[in-house]
Amino acid sequence: MDWAAWHDGYDEPGSVLAGRLAAVRRIIRDTLDGLPAGPVRAISMCAGQGRDLLGALAAHPRRDDVRARLVELDPRNAAAAEDGARRAGLDGVEVVRGDAGLMRHYRDVAPADLVLACGVFGNLTDADVLRTVEACAQLCREGGTVVWTRHRRPPDLVPVIGDWFSARGFEQVYVSDPAAGFGVGAHRLRHPPKPPQSADRIFTFVPEKQATQP
């Protein structure tokens, strides 16, 4: 997969990716609107070119409150994210080129007010999706929000992912309608974050066809 070219779908009006991006940006803006005054910490796993967070922050009145870490392995996407943050004047955004499946990239910025797992769950085994949900309960502060995405092709794991978040102390803020053609969810942590676990690896990113094998 050419992960830089994959982003071209965002620029196609009416595409599933364009609709998903708009939904994620809206949730990010709404989350920022509801946070108390003061610094805001954000984490983005497999951030790609950062179009979701950077696009939401660009004109938001709290843009300068946000200190964000975007973790992305693909060098072209990481460079595009850095360029986008620089052109938007988002000095609080840091792009780390590295394996987003490693907890070491997040420990020093957690707990966060906002955790993005967008474009992740469709490329993980079900077991790794569950491990990532559990990791989010360590990465979020109490009251922090996780925004996540997952395709709705069979087998549709979106309802199950929602249940996994609920079972780990999150309340559902939003889940997109199945008719939208994409899955976007947002869940807010209702209790203090769980203690950090010693294991470093959260997930291994795999091609989607492998991720959906029984």
Side-chain angles (χ1 to χ4, degrees):
M1 173 67 73
D2 183 338
W3 290 111
W6 178 88
H7 287 72
D8 293 345
Y10 285 134
D11 300 321
E12 298 174 10
S15 70
V16 169
L17 277 181
R20 191 186 85 175
L21 179 62
V24 171
R25 284 177 173 175
R26 183 173 62 252
I27 296 168
I28 293 171
R29 289 192 293 264
D30 289 347
T31 300
L32 293 174
D33 289 342
L35 290 172
V40 175
R41 290 187 180 186
I43 289 169
S44 181
M45 304 176 174
C46 297
Q49 297 176 1
R51 296 199 192 189
D52 43 21
L53 185 60
L54 300 182
L57 289 179
H60 198 278
R62 300 203 58 187
R63 49 176 280 148
D64 294 330
D65 292 337
V66 178
R67 297 294 176 267
R69 176 169 296 172
L70 281 59
V71 182
E72 168 59 36
L73 185 59
D74 186 282
R76 295 166 299 168
N77 287 335
E82 288 178 334
D83 182 62
R86 184 174 62 253
R87 285 189 287 107
L90 296 169
D91 297 332
V93 173
E94 171 195 16
V95 179
V96 172
R97 182 186 167 193
D99 184 346
L102 300 178
M103 184 66 89
R104 70 186 71 164
H105 294 306
Y106 313 110
R107 287 195 177 103
D108 63 326
V109 292
D113 301 278
L114 179 66
V115 175
L116 302 183
C118 299
V120 181
F121 289 164
N123 294 279
L124 307 185
T125 63
D126 290 1
D128 273 4
V129 174
L130 177 55
R131 273 190 285 271
T132 306
V133 171
E134 292 172 340
C136 287
Q138 303 168 42
L139 296 174
C140 273
R141 69 163 181 83
E142 184 174 5
T145 300
V146 180
V147 185
W148 54 274
T149 65
R150 162 81 182 201
H151 63 77
R152 303 216 65 151
R153 296 185 296 277
D156 184 1
L157 200 66
V158 168
V160 177
I161 295 172
D163 290 343
W164 285 343
F165 272 107
S166 296
R168 282 149 187 85
F170 288 85
E171 62 180 347
Q172 179 178 303
V173 176
Y174 173 83
V175 172
S176 58
D177 190 300
F182 54 79
V184 174
H187 283 76
R188 183 174 295 124
L189 189 62
R190 299 191 307 259
H191 56 63
K194 292 185 177 180
Q197 303 298 310
S198 58
D200 191 37
R201 178 156 295 281
I202 309 169
F203 61 78
T204 299
F205 200 82
V206 296
E208 186 177 307
K209 288 183 179 179
Q210 285 183 237
T212 55
Q213 290 300 312

